[in-house]
């Protein structure tokens, strides 16, 4: 179907990309306090553009953390209302030496744009803004009512947006959410994500002696907190990847036989995945479950870092007084962060070896989600995607988490259409993050056509 908004997007593609580069130059790393002003600047950049393209009631909503950006356009009487969501914050850039070009100097290379946040999620936020611009420029109106809500704390747990959504403000009254923060299952394959894992992110602190000690004078008598931590960590999972926290798996709702059957027909090559995406000698995890089941529908537990002690060059003979581990668990439908955390904390306290003090802390958490697909918006999305990509849509889950998606369902009672355009090898959260330029272009086109189809 010819769409003048699509024609506008095609004609203006070079400008859209150059504007995206300006957004990518803002180092809006939400977890680092020294970048708080950059997060503010990214929010202002988006608000200014939403205003310029003709969105109304554009507001930067301050929070206890980084601001939310709100806008709306509500003149499509009798038509549904979409809530467009994305995040402008990005992950830190370390290890910085492994970037081929600097993370905040966006660079085009072999059909991709490389920068921190290129695909997660500034490129996709920008695709939404440019879809709205194209529709407004071509038609002087949007086909449906649209609200926009962008956040700057997704990568640190999304606490502020969660509080805002939980308060059910009238300005969020919508019929569905359009979430652009996911990926295609494979290049060229239109994909809707229908499930995300939840998570609890924790810290285990172990204290031994009252101060750091000479390891010769005290080694053999003083407790070593790193050793205690290693003993704790070793008891969290068995050698088959099974989590040993009592009761942890009790409330899980397994995927339906239909969903599992659909996953079997996805074009997934485990060896290719091992070599090109993971790049390890072998894959690990629970026996008896496929890789897709293990990453989409089974909970998991990972250690992210063990800061503390002596880590400089050379050698220092010390028994550190304190050791820390960052440990997270991904949760699946049925599990709740509150219960999983209580089970984890009780178990860690129980297995803590004698002679040290162990403190468990929760840093952030988010619920798992499964979205409903029995709604006209998912139907409209598959029609739009078929037109743009010339293929039937595949429905997948993702092992990652977007905490607010569960809240859209729980608090606003609306389904989410998770239409994202990343690729599995986009290096999100890693060095050399990229966004495929064709996906940026077809992503904008898909979003335009989706909003048009949602009016039908
Ligand atoms: N966009 C990702 C989540 C994602 C990744 C969805 C891959 C689909 C495919 C999101 O920005 C993210 O990284 N979320 C964090 C959330 C956490 C900090 C609460 C995550 O999953 O680690
Ligand atoms: Mn993201
Ligand atoms: Mn992310």
């Amino acid at each position: 179907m010819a769409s003048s908004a699509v024609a506008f997007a095609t004609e203006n593609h070079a400008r859209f990309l150059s504007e995206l580069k300006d957004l990518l130059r803002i180092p809006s790393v939400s977890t680092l306090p020294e970048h708080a002003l950059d997060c503010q600047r990214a929010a202002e950049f988006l608000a200014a553009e939403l205003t310029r393209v003709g969105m109304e009631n554009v507001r930067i909503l301050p929070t206890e953390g980084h601001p939310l950006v709100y806008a709306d356009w509500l003149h499509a009487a009798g038509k549904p209302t979409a809530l467009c969501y994305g995040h402008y914050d990005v992950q830190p850039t370390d290890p910085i030496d492994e970037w081929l070009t600097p993370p905040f100097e966006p660079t085009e290379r072999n059909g991709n744009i490389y920068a921190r946040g290129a695909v997660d999620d500034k490129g996709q936020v920008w695709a939404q803004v440019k879809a709205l611009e194209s529709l407004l420029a071509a038609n002087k109106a949007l086909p449906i009512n649209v609200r926009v809500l962008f956040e700057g704390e997704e990568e640190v747990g999304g606490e502020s947006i969660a509080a805002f959504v939980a308060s059910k403000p009238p300005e969020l009254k919508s019929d569905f959410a359009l979430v652009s923060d996911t990926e295609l299952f494979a290049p060229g394959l239109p994909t809707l994500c229908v499930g995300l894992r939840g998570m609890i992110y924790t810290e285990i602190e172990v204290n031994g002696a009252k101060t750091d000690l000479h390891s010769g004078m005290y080694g053999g008598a003083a407790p070593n907190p790193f050793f205690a931590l290693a003993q704790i960590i070793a008891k969290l999972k068995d050698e088959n990847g099974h989590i040993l926290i009592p009761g942890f798996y009790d409330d899980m709702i397994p995927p339906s036989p239909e969903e599992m059957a659909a996953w079997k027909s996805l074009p997934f090559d485990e060896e290719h995945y091992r070599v090109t995406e993971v790049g390890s000698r072998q894959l690990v995890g629970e026996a008896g479950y496929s890789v897709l089941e293990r990453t989409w529908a089974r909970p998991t537990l990972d250690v992210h870092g063990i800061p503390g002690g002596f880590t400089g060059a050379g050698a220092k003979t010390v028994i550190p007084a304190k050791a820390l581990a960052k440990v997270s668990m991904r949760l699946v439908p049925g599990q709740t962060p509150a219960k999983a955390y209580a089970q984890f904390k009780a178990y860690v306290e129980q297995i803590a070896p004698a002679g040290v003090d162990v403190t468990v802390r929760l840093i952030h958490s988010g619920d798992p989600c499964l979205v409903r697909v029995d709604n006209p918006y998912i139907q409209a999305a598959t029609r739009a995607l078929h037109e743009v990509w010339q293929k039937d849509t595949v429905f997948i889950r993702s092992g990652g988490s977007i905490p607010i998606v569960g809240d859209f369902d729980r608090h606003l009672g609306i389904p989410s259409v998770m239409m994202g355009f990343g690729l599995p090898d986009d290096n999100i959260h890693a060095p050399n993050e990229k966004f495929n330029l064709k996906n940026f272009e077809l992503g904008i086109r898909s979003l335009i056509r989706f909003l048009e189809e949602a009016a039908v």
Side-chain angles (χ1 to χ4, degrees):
M1 187 199 291
S3 155
S4 50
V6 167
F8 180 91
T10 306
E11 283 155 27
N12 288 274
H13 187 69
R15 171 172 63 82
F16 290 179
L17 178 59
S18 115
E19 295 162 345
L20 170 59
K21 289 181 185 168
D22 291 337
L23 177 60
L24 290 170
R25 285 190 190 98
I26 305 172
S28 48
V29 182
S30 51
T31 202
L32 301 176
E34 62 269 33
H35 287 294
L37 265 177
D38 295 314
C39 292
Q40 177 75 30
R41 279 174 57 216
E44 283 165 7
F45 187 101
L46 289 166
E49 185 65 1
L50 287 164
T51 305
R52 191 191 68 77
V53 305
M55 294 297 292
E56 300 175 351
N57 297 309
V58 180
R59 291 201 297 269
I60 295 181
L61 306 173
T63 72
E64 285 185 14
H66 306 303
L68 297 166
V69 179
Y70 174 85
D72 61 33
W73 191 97
L74 303 169
H75 306 293
K79 299 292 182 185
T81 302
L83 177 60
C84 294
Y85 165 85
H87 62 93
Y88 64 78
D89 64 319
V90 303
Q91 287 274 327
T93 57
D94 55 290
I96 188 80
D97 291 347
E98 291 185 26
W99 287 80
L100 295 178
T101 48
F104 298 113
E105 292 175 25
T107 310
E108 285 177 57
R109 258 195 325 274
N110 42 49
N112 299 303
I113 178 149
Y114 286 83
R116 170 57 85 231
V119 70
D120 185 15
D121 185 33
K122 285 172 172 169
Q124 306 211 57
V125 163
W126 204 244
Q128 287 191 349
V129 174
K130 296 294 106 176
L132 296 175
E133 173 180 356
S134 303
L135 287 160
L136 284 165
N139 310 315
K140 308 280 171 275
L142 295 178
I144 61 173
N145 303 295
V146 171
R147 301 179 189 275
V148 170
L149 185 64
F150 295 147
E151 71 162 316
E153 294 178 6
E154 195 278 341
E155 301 290 9
V156 289
E159 247 175 82
S160 298
I161 196 175
F164 185 59
V165 168
S167 76
K168 302 185 200 177
E171 50 280 45
L172 294 188
K173 197 176 162 6
S174 310
D175 296 291
F176 69 97
L178 170 57
V179 174
S180 301
D181 191 23
T182 55
E183 56 191 24
L184 304 183
F185 187 75
L189 188 59
T191 304
L192 291 175
C193 178
V194 299
L196 296 164
R197 289 196 287 192
M199 80 133 60
I200 52 177
Y201 199 110
T202 76
E203 212 166 63
I204 305 175
E205 181 177 324
V206 182
N207 285 278
K210 68 175 170 27
T211 181
D212 284 13
L213 297 170
H214 187 292
S215 68
M217 291 169 68
Y218 299 98
N224 184 314
F226 277 96
F227 212 85
L229 200 49
Q231 288 173 315
I232 293 170
I233 290 169
K235 288 187 176 135
L236 295 177
K237 264 198 217 177
D238 70 14
E239 54 279 11
N240 303 314
H242 191 78
I243 296 166
L244 297 172
I245 302 166
F248 197 71
Y249 293 90
D250 285 359
D251 303 329
M252 279 180 49
I253 302 167
S256 68
E258 294 75 32
E259 201 178 6
M260 301 249 283
W263 295 351
K264 285 215 175 74
S265 60
L266 289 169
F268 183 74
D269 176 344
E270 183 168 322
E271 189 57 10
H272 183 261
Y273 170 85
R274 180 186 70 79
V275 173
T276 65
E277 281 189 53
V278 180
S280 65
R281 204 180 300 284
Q282 62 174 61
L283 298 175
V284 299
E286 291 175 291
Y289 297 94
S290 69
V291 168
L292 297 184
E293 284 175 84
R294 274 156 30 218
T295 56
W296 293 353
R298 298 287 299 171
T300 188
L301 181 151
D302 275 289
V303 179
H304 306 289
I306 306 188
F310 177 67
T311 57
K316 178 186 180 190
T317 46
V318 64
I319 298 177
K322 163 182 163 177
L324 210 63
K326 307 261 183 193
V327 179
S328 83
M329 281 138 275
R330 298 276 169 175
L331 309 178
V332 300
Q335 294 182 292
T336 61
K339 185 163 175 190
Y341 177 64
Q343 291 170 330
F344 170 73
K345 185 168 161 34
Y347 179 60
V348 169
E349 285 165 358
Q350 181 211 318
I351 61 177
V356 295
D357 293 319
V358 174
T359 314
V360 181
R361 278 187 291 268
L362 181 65
I363 300 198
H364 61 67
S365 64
D367 282 88
C369 75
L370 259 191
V371 302
R372 305 196 297 271
V373 294
D374 58 340
N375 62 69
Y377 313 110
I378 293 279
Q379 298 306 317
T382 59
R383 289 197 303 276
L385 289 170
H386 192 274
E387 186 190 304
V388 175
W389 301 81
Q390 300 290 308
K391 282 194 182 125
D392 286 338
T393 296
V394 296
F395 293 88
I396 69 165
R397 293 199 200 178
S398 168
S401 310
I402 308 173
I404 201 60
V405 176
D407 296 351
F408 287 154
D409 179 23
R410 254 188 315 285
H411 298 302
L412 306 180
I414 57 173
S416 288
V417 176
M418 288 192 266
M419 185 190 279
F421 304 98
L423 289 176
D425 68 352
D426 275 344
N427 301 320
I428 68 173
H429 295 202
N432 305 306
E433 178 179 348
K434 66 173 174 67
F435 193 5
N436 181 274
L437 290 172
K438 197 74 207 167
N439 282 22
F440 178 51
E441 187 178 349
L442 294 187
I444 295 168
R445 204 177 294 174
S446 302
L447 292 167
I448 291 172
R449 292 292 300 117
F450 171 48
L451 293 172
E452 290 176 340
E453 285 295 320
V456 177

